[in-house]
Amino acid sequence: MLGRGLGFTMATEEAIIRIPPYHYIHVLDQNSNVSRVEVGPKTYIRQDNERVLFAPVRMVTVPPRHYCIVANPVSRDAQSSVLFDVTGQVRLRHADQEIRLAQDPFPLYPGELLEKDITPLQVVLPNTALHLKALLDFEDKNGDKVMAGDEWLFEGPGTYIPQKEVEVVEIIQATVIKQNQALRLRARKECFDRDGKERVTGEEWLVRSVGAYLPAVFEEVLDLVDAVILTEKTALHLRARQNFKDLRGVAHRTGEEWLVTVQDTEAHVPDVYEEVLGVVPITTLGPRHYCVILDPMGPDGKNQLGQKRVVKGEKSFFLQPGERLERGIQDVYVLSEQQGLLLKALQPLEEGEGEEKVAHQAGDRWLIRGPLEYVPSAKVEVVEERQAIPLDQNEGIYVQDVKTGKVRAVIGSTYMLTQDEVLWEKELPSGVEELLNLGHDPLADRGQKGTAKVLQPSAARNKTRVVSYRVPHNAAVQVYDYRAKRARVVFGPEL
């Protein structure tokens, strides 16, 4: 095979061969078995010991901005003259290649092959680059040594002139970074980024500058990261994947959590070392609201575990990482004159101001009365809300002092239990309960012992109420005093 893609014809036996301009033939000397090139225009007379290998073919013409690749090219001296060996055969560089650019038409010498036909040169557009890799050691135009395996970029705009020692690995397109976006990159090996900062293998970082970014040869594009838009009502909850410093120069430790609000930035692009845990909504308290925050964050930026903090409205704030509300947003206690709160101290504290300041020890109980608005502090527990009990002159309640155990009856006035008092339930024998619940008509049922008309029982008796029994007119009831062990008869009408 003498060549590829040239359309060689079969050998000719003609004695006279006319070679047109820019054509050539190969002639084989059968005595020495050496082939040579005859270039037109000329008329060639074949000798008896010669054989023309093919009819005249056109020379290879490389137009401007094109190239071709010739395998097994001929060797030339410093004056670009073809070298021959002692037998008169052209000297070839076997297993080598030669890239030929635009030049005068040239013939292919015996042994040369057109490995790659006429091909346009590759034009590299703006924001595009060729990823190149050296296959052999060589010196570039500047005299610098390039080692096999080296990689670099040929950035556009420009026309790439191929070299036999260089392989085109891929075409790299620039990535357009829009507003509120960042490009996430990773280093394939130790290198310097486009800002001149040294990067180690596997390191990741963000490029935040808006515009087209062409990654360097050892930079791998992972993805485009969109910013999280923050408002006055939202905050971004982040956690550090490892120790690092953010854009504001704040150092964060591995596992640390923090919030980014609109006061910090309007749009936050999460860094490669930041993990987004979610968006935290704002907590808003009205003028009649308060909340209790558990494990509040202290001035050192760490949660004070086991402590509480009370926040009163009107106020808006974000719950910091690790903080939580004890019972959500609660209403302020608004007490009227007939209402009160029974409080219990969880820790020693002082309440009031000036001369009215009162100290309480842990476990103390006290009662506050309205009218007032009350927000319990973190050291106070609200045991219960109390309402004044309205009593008519014929109504009463049993009250027991929890300190002394003494029971007394309060009759005929509105009364609110103090911090040391509770309602006491009076138990009665079943016969008395039946007597209270079943009614006898002293006139209609007179003389019918044991067969009295049974009325429907009333609702269950409130045992904390003072026991009262209405004796109707023209009737009597016997009352026994357990203390004095004496009975007496009460005639109606009486209560």
Side-chain angles (χ1 to χ4, degrees):
M1 180 179 179
L2 298 177
R4 187 172 66 186
L6 295 178
F8 289 125
T9 60
M10 298 297 294
T12 178
E13 299 297 335
E14 296 179 4
I16 298 175
I17 299 173
R18 291 174 175 82
I19 305 175
Y22 301 111
H23 287 65
Y24 70 98
I25 61 173
H26 284 182
V27 179
L28 173 64
D29 188 339
Q30 295 181 338
N31 292 336
S32 61
N33 207 22
V34 173
S35 298
R36 70 179 188 276
V37 175
E38 293 292 342
V39 180
K42 70 186 299 187
T43 299
Y44 178 73
I45 301 175
R46 180 176 64 82
Q47 305 296 321
D48 292 339
N49 63 327
E50 294 177 344
R51 188 162 67 96
V52 178
L53 298 179
F54 52 83
V57 296
R58 181 176 293 277
M59 294 183 181
V60 180
T61 302
V62 182
R65 301 189 64 78
H66 288 68
Y67 75 100
C68 68
I69 299 179
V70 177
N72 305 323
V74 297
S75 299
R76 299 177 183 271
D77 58 13
Q79 286 76 31
S80 298
S81 300
V82 179
L83 299 179
F84 297 89
D85 58 13
V86 293
T87 62
Q89 185 176 354
V90 291
R91 187 172 295 173
L92 301 177
R93 291 179 287 152
H94 293 285
D96 199 358
Q97 291 179 337
E98 182 176 320
I99 296 177
R100 297 180 182 177
L101 304 174
Q103 55 184 285
D104 293 336
F106 59 89
L108 290 179
Y109 284 88
E112 288 186 333
L113 299 175
L114 193 61
E115 190 170 89
K116 189 169 186 178
D117 208 350
I118 311 300
T119 305
L121 290 174
Q122 188 168 3
V123 177
V124 183
L125 302 177
N127 294 329
T128 308
L130 296 181
H131 182 188
L132 305 178
K133 182 178 181 180
L135 302 175
L136 303 170
D137 297 348
F138 69 98
E139 289 188 2
D140 59 12
K141 297 178 181 179
N142 300 326
D144 298 330
K145 288 187 176 182
V146 179
M147 307 299 293
D150 285 353
E151 299 178 36
W152 67 96
L153 292 184
F154 178 83
E155 300 183 14
T159 302
Y160 173 67
I161 306 299
Q163 296 176 262
K164 65 179 182 179
E165 303 91 354
V166 179
E167 173 192 13
V168 178
V169 178
E170 62 177 339
I171 300 176
I172 299 177
Q173 301 287 345
T175 304
V176 178
I177 305 174
K178 300 179 182 178
Q179 194 72 28
N180 295 330
Q181 279 187 334
L183 188 63
R184 186 171 181 174
L185 301 175
R186 179 166 57 200
R188 293 194 293 114
K189 62 174 291 186
E190 294 183 2
C191 62
F192 289 90
D193 61 13
R194 293 197 177 273
D195 295 331
K197 187 175 181 180
E198 186 176 1
R199 303 291 182 179
V200 297
T201 305
E203 181 180 355
E204 298 181 8
W205 69 97
L206 294 181
V207 176
R208 304 172 186 269
S209 54
V210 178
Y213 181 83
L214 191 63
V217 61
F218 296 120
E219 295 177 359
E220 178 184 358
V221 176
L222 296 181
D223 59 355
L224 272 173
V225 182
D226 293 323
V228 179
I229 307 300
L230 299 176
T231 65
E232 294 181 353
K233 297 182 179 181
T234 57
L236 196 60
H237 187 186
L238 301 175
R239 179 165 58 198
R241 300 179 187 269
Q242 69 177 54
N243 297 347
F244 78 105
K245 280 190 176 182
D246 59 17
L247 287 177
R248 296 183 294 275
V250 180
H252 299 284
R253 294 181 174 273
T254 305
E256 180 183 346
E257 299 180 14
W258 69 99
L259 295 183
V260 176
T261 63
V262 71
Q263 281 74 25
D264 301 320
T265 178
E266 294 180 355
H268 181 74
V269 179
D271 200 88
V272 294
Y273 303 123
E274 295 176 353
E275 179 184 359
V276 178
L277 299 181
V279 177
V280 179
I282 197 169
T283 302
T284 303
L285 301 178
R288 292 290 186 270
H289 295 110
Y290 77 99
C291 65
V292 180
I293 300 177
L294 302 179
D295 304 332
M297 185 166 288
D300 57 352
K302 297 180 180 179
N303 292 94
Q304 299 172 329
L305 301 179
Q307 297 193 21
K308 299 180 181 180
R309 185 172 71 235
V310 176
V311 180
K312 304 176 185 179
E314 292 180 43
K315 193 172 186 180
S316 296
F317 62 94
F318 292 102
L319 283 177
Q320 297 295 321
E323 295 181 346
R324 64 187 191 279
L325 297 181
E326 186 175 25
R327 286 189 294 270
I329 298 176
Q330 305 177 63
D331 294 329
V332 172
Y333 291 97
V334 180
L335 305 179
S336 65
E337 293 182 359
Q338 304 300 320
Q339 291 178 314
L341 285 179
L342 180 60
L343 306 178
K344 179 181 177 181
L346 302 176
Q347 299 177 23
L349 76 154
E350 292 184 353
E351 281 197 340
E353 296 181 356
E355 297 180 355
E356 298 181 358
K357 184 177 292 185
V358 180
H360 298 284
Q361 298 300 318
D364 283 358
R365 294 159 62 102
W366 69 99
L367 187 74
I368 60 171
R369 301 171 183 266
L372 55 80
E373 291 183 1
Y374 182 73
V375 177
S377 69
K379 299 179 180 180
V380 174
E381 176 188 0
V382 178
V383 179
E384 64 177 3
E385 294 186 52
R386 287 191 172 175
Q387 190 85 19
I389 303 173
L391 300 173
D392 191 17
Q393 60 180 358
N394 294 328
E395 294 179 320
I397 55 174
Y398 296 113
V399 177
Q400 183 180 26
D401 192 314
V402 295
K403 290 185 176 180
T404 63
K406 185 178 179 180
V407 179
R408 63 189 179 93
V410 178
I411 302 173
S413 63
T414 300
Y415 186 75
M416 181 184 291
L417 298 175
T418 66
Q419 66 270 16
D420 298 324
E421 293 178 341
V422 294
L423 291 175
W424 182 77
E425 294 185 352
K426 183 177 180 63
E427 298 291 341
L428 295 176
S430 58
V432 178
E433 290 281 0
E434 184 179 355
L435 182 63
L436 292 176
N437 291 331
L438 300 178
H440 287 270
D441 190 335
L443 295 178
D445 299 335
R446 181 169 298 175
Q448 298 180 6
K449 293 185 178 180
T451 60
K453 181 182 176 182
V454 179
L455 301 179
Q456 289 295 330
S458 60
R461 179 178 69 89
N462 187 350
K463 297 181 179 181
T464 62
R465 291 281 175 161
V466 169
V467 177
S468 63
Y469 188 74
R470 186 175 300 276
V471 184
H473 176 72
N474 201 15
V477 67
Q478 185 179 21
V479 181
Y480 182 75
D481 189 339
Y482 286 97
R483 289 185 179 179
K485 295 181 180 180
R486 185 175 65 241
R488 62 188 175 95
V489 176
V490 179
F491 296 93
E494 184 64 78
L495 182 67

